[in-house]
């Protein structure tokens, strides 16, 4: 269906009115990353920045100074000789490598700052010799062999003397006939020139001996001062106030004075933070009320910070580092770092896009605007002036342009329109549920829809797209290869079709069961890459024959849900996922996400487009990204690692052998290139402790306890997203053995052990001797006891019959020995046993024995001869022997004895004999027994002595 010319003119008028109504926006968004308290910056009021020659980034805040180690910010303070707190105003490096820090009322300097391997080793000392005014806008600039610093509205010069000594601050003096302005608001240096701006509106320049040439700027800037100054060349400088800027050319003695756009009163109380900074491409950067803007010599272009419309930060400082990355200091939001500045540019709704969800792109002709399809309409981006103009509303999933420069776009869900950009005529065709428009290499245009694949021939523009009867199934995505063959998806099938009606091949057998194709590219006339829900497949074909099909191995950091693919002029393959961009270039994969500058990791389906200059446009769910320099995008910055500190307890590891300690070994480290700081990982190993390499993303490791000895610590870093590794660094850790494990101690231990062994042997021998003696005593006692038991009666304790007979045997061995023998018998003992029992009888015998024992002596032997009989042997030849025996008998017999059954009177009868010469003992016993018998027969309780017939 074709629109009439009349209707087209009406639409053209409406479109022109829209251009007038909608503002022309010169803007883009800077991709940035913020660093704040989560990265260690406790005070997010950033005032100044400095990158040291060794790579460390220093950041001054309203309450102290920090340095960045690639992982987090570390604070410098009293340990380095700085105040505990204070508002940092400015930082600079002097010609001798010393670091100068300006507070609002004092300055500090530290030597060798550019070569020191860790800023914590810096040692600062205060500068003396001049009274510094409390200055909230103090600035320091390197000049000649020292630095210039503001002191109120005047200047002082601090000269570098030697490698470590800094001279006293001296006031800056001009040559006779010229004066140094005393109301300085801004200054800058260029080569040997010194430029000044003053409160009175003058801009002055001096050289050599400081003879100043001043020009009064034109215009009225009441209540405003030139607070920033940038020098373009020896004769030209640019100044700005809160709302105005001026260009001064002293050679021509001309000045221009203009109003700054996008500025009102935002910086009225923060004008001391204003700056003018040249970019590496020669643009001038400065603040606007709601962000940054740059000046290309003709126009100002706004640079947005992401999501800043909700909270415009005060921007205080700007720093370009060696990799041309911009570091942006803010008040309240911390420090921001641009991501791939000059390589990646972003646009969003705040920059003029109709909607942040970007689906498609096309550029109908060289140097023409880029047409952008979003979720809410179509926009035109003039990339030469970076201006976005809305064109038409409505969700636009796909856009394409043909070989004739016509623009094809959908309108709603049932119409596709061909817009002739030469004469602005439009043709509309009914086409339901369009998914993608695929331009061919000649006059062919392909339309992939839910109803199937349609084809249009631009040689017959009035004939709309027609359905290919062989391809009636829904199709989502496709591509035309160098042979002008359409490769497209139909469900899980991949079909190849050549106009007008030749179906070449179709295949689906090589895919995994759950693979759904969503993107397709033709790398060459034989190689097709297909992306989908679980990765990428590569098909090699020849004509209508499929030669091979293999699944591509993606890096683990890459997403596997492929929604967009692109093959560019460099033979690079781009794949868009929900986790960012994956790029196959030079035989390896790279992965990029928001840390590389993308506005979102969620790439839109079909949202990749190669521009005529080889740059890449990326559509995401949060805006449009332009990779304007893909080669720089891939540029690798070497990973530079450093060891910040290594300590055993509180002792630093510095190559010395450290004393033994049970304290932990702690090692901190970092890296000095910050482009991929979120992706850097460390691998480390302590030889002699770790069996394998360990991995961490932290900037430190801790070994709770290591044994004495020598170890080597190895460290390197790598980026799995870019397949990049650092050089390895290592150092030795040596800990001495404790004194108790030294050779001297071991010799001492040997001596002690030898002494102890000798002592133990001595003690053992002594012990054995003592034990032997004890054993002998025990044996002797036991032998004596056994002998005693063998010789004594168990009941009475007197000598038993055998012992008495042995003694009698010995006594009678001498024929001439003469001794007395007496037998005692208990009278009526049987009656006692019968009446009271044998126990009582035993008691009687024991009591009689106790009485008899009283008379045992060297000459008297007493024993129990049997039953109730007792025997007494006396070796004395005393005439009183018989008398004594008679007394013994009578003493026992006349006493009543106490028993368990009561008191009884017990009497004894006795027989007494004396041995005759050569008489044996048995005969003697017989004689005594006869005497006893006689005593019993004659009435008992008496004694009979045979020798003298004595009876008692």
């Amino acid at each position: 269906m074709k629109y009439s010319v009349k209707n087209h003119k009406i639409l053209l008028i409406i479109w022109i009115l829209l251009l007038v109504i909608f503002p022309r926006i010169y803007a883009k968004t800077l991709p940035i990353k913020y660093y704040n308290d989560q990265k260690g910056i406790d005070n997010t009021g950033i005032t100044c920045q400095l990158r040291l020659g060794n790579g460390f980034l220093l950041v001054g805040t309203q309450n102290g100074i920090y340095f960045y180690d690639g992982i987090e910010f570390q604070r410098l303070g009293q340990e380095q000789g700085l105040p505990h707190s204070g508002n940092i105003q400015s930082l600079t490096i002097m010609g001798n490598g010393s670091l100068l820090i300006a507070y609002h009322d004092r300055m500090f300097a530290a030597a060798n700052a550019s070569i020191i391997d860790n800023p914590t080793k810096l040692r600062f000392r205060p500068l003396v010799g001049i009274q510094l005014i409390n200055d909230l806008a103090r600035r320091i600039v390197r000049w000649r062999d020292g630095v210039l610093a503001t002191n109120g509205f005047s200047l002082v010069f601090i000269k570098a003397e030697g490698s470590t000594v800094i001279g006293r601050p001296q006031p800056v003096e001009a040559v006779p006939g010229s004066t140094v302005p005393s109301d300085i608001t801004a200054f800058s240096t260029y080569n040997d020139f010194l430029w000044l701006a003053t409160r009175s509106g003058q801009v002055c320049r001096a050289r050599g001996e400081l003879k100043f040439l001043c020009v009064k700027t034109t215009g009225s800037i009441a209540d405003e001062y030139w607070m920033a100054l940038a020098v373009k060349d020896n004769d030209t400088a640019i100044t700005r106030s809160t709302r105005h800027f001026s260009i001064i050319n002293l050679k021509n003695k001309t000045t221009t004075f203009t109003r700054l756009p996008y500025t009102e009163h935002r910086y009225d109380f923060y004008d001391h933070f204003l700056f003018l900074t040249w970019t590496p491409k020669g643009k001038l950067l400065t603040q606007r009320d709601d962000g940054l803007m740059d000046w290309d010599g003709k126009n100002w272009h706004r640079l947005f910070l992401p999501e800043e419309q909700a909270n415009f930060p005060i921007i205080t400082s700007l720093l370009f580092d060696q990799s041309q990355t911009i570091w942006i200091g803010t008040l309240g939001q911390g420090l921001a770092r641009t991501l791939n500045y000059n390589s990646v540019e972003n646009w969003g709704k705040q920059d003029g896009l109709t909607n942040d969800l970007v689906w498609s792109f096309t550029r109908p002709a060289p140097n023409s605007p880029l047409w952008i399809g979003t979720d809410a309409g179509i926009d035109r981006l003039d990339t030469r002036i970076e201006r976005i103009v809305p064109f038409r509303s409505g969700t636009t999933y796909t856009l394409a342009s043909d070989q004739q420069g016509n623009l094809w776009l959908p309108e709603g869900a049932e119409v596709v329109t061909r817009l002739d950009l030469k004469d602005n005529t439009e043709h509309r065709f009914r086409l339901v549920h369009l998914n993608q428009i695929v331009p061919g290499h000649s006059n062919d245009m392909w339309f992939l829809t839910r109803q199937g694949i349609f084809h249009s021939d631009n040689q017959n523009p009035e004939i709309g797209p027609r359905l290919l009867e062989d391809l009636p199934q829904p199709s989502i995505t496709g591509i035309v290869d160098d042979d002008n063959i359409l490769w497209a998806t139909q469900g899980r099938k991949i079909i190849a079709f050549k106009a007008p009606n030749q179906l070449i091949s179709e295949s689906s057998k090589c895919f995994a069961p759950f693979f759904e194709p969503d993107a397709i590219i033709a790398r060459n006339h034989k190689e097709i890459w297909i992306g989908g829900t679980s990765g990428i497949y590569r098909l090699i074909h020849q004509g209508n024959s499929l030669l091979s099909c293999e699944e591509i191995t993606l890096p683990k950091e890459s997403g596997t849900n492929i929604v967009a693919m692109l093959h560019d002029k460099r033979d690079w393959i781009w794949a868009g996922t929900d986790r960012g961009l994956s790029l196959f270039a030079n035989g390896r994969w790279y992965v990029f996400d928001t840390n590389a500058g993308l506005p979102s990791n969620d790439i839109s389906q079909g949202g990749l487009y190669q521009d005529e200059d080889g740059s890449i446009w990326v559509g995401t769910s949060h805006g449009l990204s332009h990779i304007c320099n893909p080669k720089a995008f891939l540029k690798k910055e070497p990973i530079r690692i450093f060891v910040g500190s290594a300590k055993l307890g509180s002792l630093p590891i510095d190559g010395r052998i450290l004393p033994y300690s049970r304290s932990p070994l702690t090692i901190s480290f970092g890296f000095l290139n910050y482009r991929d700081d979120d992706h850097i990982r460390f691998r480390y190993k302590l030889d002699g402790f770790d069996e394998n390499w360990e991995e961490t993303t932290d900037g430190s490791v801790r070994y709770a306890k290591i044994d004495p000895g020598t170890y080597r610590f190895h460290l390197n870093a790598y980026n799995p997203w870019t397949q990049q590794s650092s050089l390895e660094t290592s150092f030795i850790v040596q800990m001495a053995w404790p004194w108790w494990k030294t050779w001297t101690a071991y010799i001492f231990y040997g001596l002690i052990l030898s002494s102890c062994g000798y002592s133990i042997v001595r003690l053992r021998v002594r012990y054995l001797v003592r034990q032997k003696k004890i054993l002998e005593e025990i044996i002797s006692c036991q032998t004596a006891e056994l002998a005693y038991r063998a010789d004594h009666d168990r009941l009475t304790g007197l000598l038993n019959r055998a012992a008495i007979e042995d003694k009698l045997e010995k006594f009678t061995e001498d024929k001439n020995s003469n001794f007395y023998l007496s037998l005692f018998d208990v009278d009526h003992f049987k009656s006692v046993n019968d009446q009271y029992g044998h126990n009582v009888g035993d008691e009687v015998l024991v009591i009689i024995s106790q009485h008899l024992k009283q008379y045992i002596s060297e000459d008297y032997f007493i024993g129990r001869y049997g039953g109730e009989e007792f025997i007494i042997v006396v070796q004395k030849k005393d005439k009183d022997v018989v008398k004594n025996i008679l007394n013994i008998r009578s003493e026992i017999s006349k006493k009543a004895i106490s028993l368990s059954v009561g008191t009884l009177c017990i009497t004894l009868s006795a027989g007494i004999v004396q041995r005759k010469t050569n008489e044996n003992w048995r005969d003697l016993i017989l004689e005594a027994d006869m005497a006893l018998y006689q005593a019993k027969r004659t009435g008992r309780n008496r004694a009979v002595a045979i020798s003298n017939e004595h009876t008692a």
Side-chain angles (χ1 to χ4, degrees), residues 148-304:
L148 290 169
T150 57
N151 189 26
F153 291 104
S154 62
L155 283 180
V156 294
F157 179 68
I158 305 170
K159 185 178 181 180
E161 299 176 355
S163 60
T164 60
V165 180
I166 298 175
R168 294 173 178 268
Q170 301 292 335
V172 175
E173 298 180 354
V175 298
S178 179
T179 59
V180 179
S182 59
D183 57 348
I184 299 170
T185 56
F187 72 99
S188 184
T189 61
Y190 185 84
N191 295 330
D192 193 40
F193 289 95
L194 171 62
W195 290 76
L196 306 173
T198 68
R199 299 181 70 186
S200 59
Q202 286 186 321
V203 176
C204 304
R205 183 193 67 183
R207 187 181 185 185
E209 297 300 324
L210 295 187
K211 182 177 182 180
F212 285 91
L213 172 64
C214 298
V215 173
K216 176 72 173 179
T217 55
T218 59
S220 175
I221 53 171
D223 301 325
E224 294 183 47
Y225 303 114
W226 299 128
M227 298 301 295
L229 188 150
V231 182
K232 186 177 182 181
D233 53 43
N234 289 343
D235 299 310
T236 308
I238 302 170
T239 61
R240 75 155 288 183
S241 64
T242 53
R243 291 176 291 278
H244 296 84
F245 84 110
S246 179
I247 303 175
I248 302 97
N249 188 295
L250 292 181
K251 182 178 181 180
N252 300 329
K253 296 184 179 180
T254 60
T255 63
T256 60
F257 180 85
T258 58
R259 178 71 162 81
L260 278 172
Y262 319 121
T263 58
E264 292 298 336
H265 300 282
R266 178 68 167 157
Y267 282 85
D268 283 353
F269 295 101
Y270 303 100
D271 57 354
H272 56 284
F273 288 126
L274 292 175
F275 56 76
L276 290 167
T277 302
W278 294 106
T279 73
K281 289 188 175 182
K283 294 184 178 180
L284 195 62
L285 269 174
T286 190
Q287 300 103 321
R288 57 184 175 85
D289 280 5
D290 52 358
L292 291 170
M293 57 183 175
D294 63 27
W295 184 62
D296 59 8
K298 295 181 180 180
N299 298 306
W300 289 96
H301 303 266
R302 286 192 291 179
L303 302 176
F304 283 101

Side-chain angles (χ1 to χ4, degrees), residues 650-840:
S650 60
L651 300 176
I653 296 173
D654 52 8
R656 296 179 295 115
I657 299 178
L658 301 178
Y660 172 76
S661 173
R662 293 184 177 179
S663 300
L665 170 65
T666 56
I667 305 170
S668 63
F669 38 79
F671 54 93
L672 298 178
N673 50 313
Y674 313 129
R675 175 176 173 178
D676 296 311
D677 51 7
D678 279 350
H679 296 153
I680 299 297
R681 300 175 184 175
F682 295 97
R683 297 176 72 246
Y684 65 91
K685 181 181 180 183
L686 185 63
D687 285 344
F689 190 94
D690 294 321
E691 293 184 1
N692 301 307
W693 285 87
E694 304 292 337
E695 185 174 308
T696 181
T697 55
D698 297 329
S700 64
V701 295
R702 182 180 185 272
Y703 294 91
K705 183 176 181 286
I706 62 173
D707 294 328
T710 300
Y711 304 85
R712 179 172 287 276
F713 183 77
H714 302 266
L715 176 71
N716 63 38
Y718 74 101
N719 185 348
W721 294 67
T722 61
Q723 309 292 309
Q724 185 181 6
S725 298
S726 72
L727 296 175
E728 181 181 299
T729 185
S730 65
F731 59 88
I732 290 178
V733 179
Q734 290 181 292
M735 181 169 65
W737 291 90
W739 63 266
W740 59 87
K741 289 187 177 182
T742 60
W743 284 110
T744 303
Y746 285 131
I747 293 173
F748 176 73
Y749 298 153
L751 294 174
I752 294 294
L753 289 175
S754 299
S755 300
C756 291
Y758 177 76
S759 299
I760 290 172
V761 170
R762 289 290 305 272
L763 291 173
R764 180 64 177 171
V765 170
R766 185 180 299 177
Y767 171 77
L768 293 175
V769 170
R770 186 170 66 250
Q771 289 298 105
K772 181 180 178 183
K773 184 177 181 180
I774 292 172
L775 182 59
E776 289 175 348
E777 291 177 354
I778 291 173
I779 293 173
S780 177
C781 290
Q782 290 179 347
T783 303
E785 183 178 356
L786 291 173
Y788 178 83
R789 289 183 179 182
D791 292 344
H792 290 75
D793 177 64
R794 180 173 296 183
L795 178 63
T796 62
L798 299 175
L799 291 175
N800 58 25
R801 182 170 180 165
I804 289 295
E805 290 178 347
D806 287 342
K807 288 186 178 292
L808 291 174
E809 184 72 33
K810 291 181 181 181
F811 292 164
T812 57
E813 287 179 357
D814 185 1
K815 297 180 179 181
N816 297 319
S817 66
N818 190 7
F819 57 88
Y820 291 89
L821 185 147
S822 176
L823 288 176
F824 282 24
D825 186 77
V826 180
D827 297 332
H828 306 293
F829 186 73
K830 184 176 182 301
S831 299
V832 173
N833 282 338
D834 292 342
Q835 184 177 355
Y836 298 107
H838 289 281
N839 290 337
V840 175

Side-chain angles (χ1 to χ4, degrees), residues 451-526:
Q451 295 179 337
I453 299 177
F454 290 74
H455 174 260
S456 176
D457 187 349
N458 285 332
Q459 289 182 338
N460 301 304
E462 294 185 359
I463 300 176
R466 63 180 182 85
L467 177 65
L468 300 177
E469 296 181 357
D470 293 335
L471 306 173
Q473 298 179 0
S475 182
I476 294 177
T477 184
I479 193 72
V480 173
D481 66 12
D482 295 338
D483 295 329
N484 205 30
I485 296 175
L486 171 69
W487 293 85
T489 64
Q490 284 198 320
R492 299 185 69 248
K493 293 192 304 182
I494 304 298
I495 63 99
F497 195 90
K498 188 168 185 178
N501 55 8
Q502 183 182 1
L503 179 62
I504 297 177
S505 67
E506 59 180 308
S507 177
S508 62
K509 297 180 180 180
C510 66
F511 302 141
F514 300 103
F515 179 78
E516 295 289 342
D518 289 320
I520 185 170
I521 61 167
R523 190 174 187 183
N524 50 52
H525 67 282
K526 291 185 178 181

Side-chain angles (χ1 to χ4, degrees), residues 376-596:
I378 301 174
D379 299 316
R380 292 196 315 165
L381 170 61
D382 190 335
T383 52
R384 293 172 299 177
I385 59 175
E386 298 177 343
R387 182 183 66 181
I388 295 176
V389 178
F391 175 70
R392 183 173 295 175
S393 62
T395 300
T396 307
Y397 295 108
T398 181
L399 281 174
S401 52
D402 57 27
Q403 295 293 320
Q404 290 73 33
N406 300 314
L407 180 67
W408 292 80
L409 61 149
E411 289 190 40
E414 298 184 353
V415 175
V416 64
T417 299
R418 185 182 65 194
L419 174 62
D420 189 333
L421 298 177
K422 297 176 181 178
D423 58 9
N424 293 322
T425 59
E426 293 185 9
H427 290 78
R428 302 179 70 204
F429 306 97
R430 179 175 175 79
L431 204 61
V432 179
H433 299 304
L434 178 63
N435 291 322
Q436 185 182 2
I437 305 172
V438 183
H441 293 306
S442 57
N443 295 312
D444 299 314
M445 293 294 292
W446 305 88
F447 304 87
L448 312 183
T449 74
R450 295 185 189 177
Q451 295 179 337
I453 299 177
F454 290 74
H455 174 260
S456 176
D457 187 349
N458 285 332
Q459 289 182 338
N460 301 304
E462 294 185 359
I463 300 176
R466 63 180 182 85
L467 177 65
L468 300 177
E469 296 181 357
D470 293 335
L471 306 173
Q473 298 179 0
S475 182
I476 294 177
T477 184
I479 193 72
V480 173
D481 66 12
D482 295 338
D483 295 329
N484 205 30
I485 296 175
L486 171 69
W487 293 85
T489 64
Q490 284 198 320
R492 299 185 69 248
K493 293 192 304 182
I494 304 298
I495 63 99
F497 195 90
K498 188 168 185 178
N501 55 8
Q502 183 182 1
L503 179 62
I504 297 177
S505 67
E506 59 180 308
S507 177
S508 62
K509 297 180 180 180
C510 66
F511 302 141
F514 300 103
F515 179 78
E516 295 289 342
D518 289 320
I520 185 170
I521 61 167
R523 190 174 187 183
N524 50 52
H525 67 282
K526 291 185 178 181
E527 189 172 339
I528 303 296
W529 290 49
I530 303 162
T533 51
S534 61
I536 298 175
Y537 286 84
R538 177 168 57 191
L539 276 64
I540 306 296
H541 69 93
Q542 186 172 1
N544 58 359
S545 298
L546 180 63
L547 300 181
S548 66
C549 177
E550 65 172 331
E551 185 175 3
I552 300 297
T553 301
L554 296 172
K556 63 180 181 180
E557 292 77 19
S558 170
T560 57
N561 184 23
I562 312 298
V563 296
M565 294 188 72
L566 172 70
H567 176 237
D568 68 13
K569 299 176 180 179
R570 293 165 288 267
D571 196 30
W572 293 359
I573 296 175
W574 302 76
T577 74
D578 55 358
R579 293 181 60 184
L581 274 178
S582 297
L583 171 61
F584 184 74
N586 306 321
R588 62 193 305 182
W589 284 98
Y590 302 85
V591 181
F592 306 100
D593 59 2
T594 52
N595 284 289

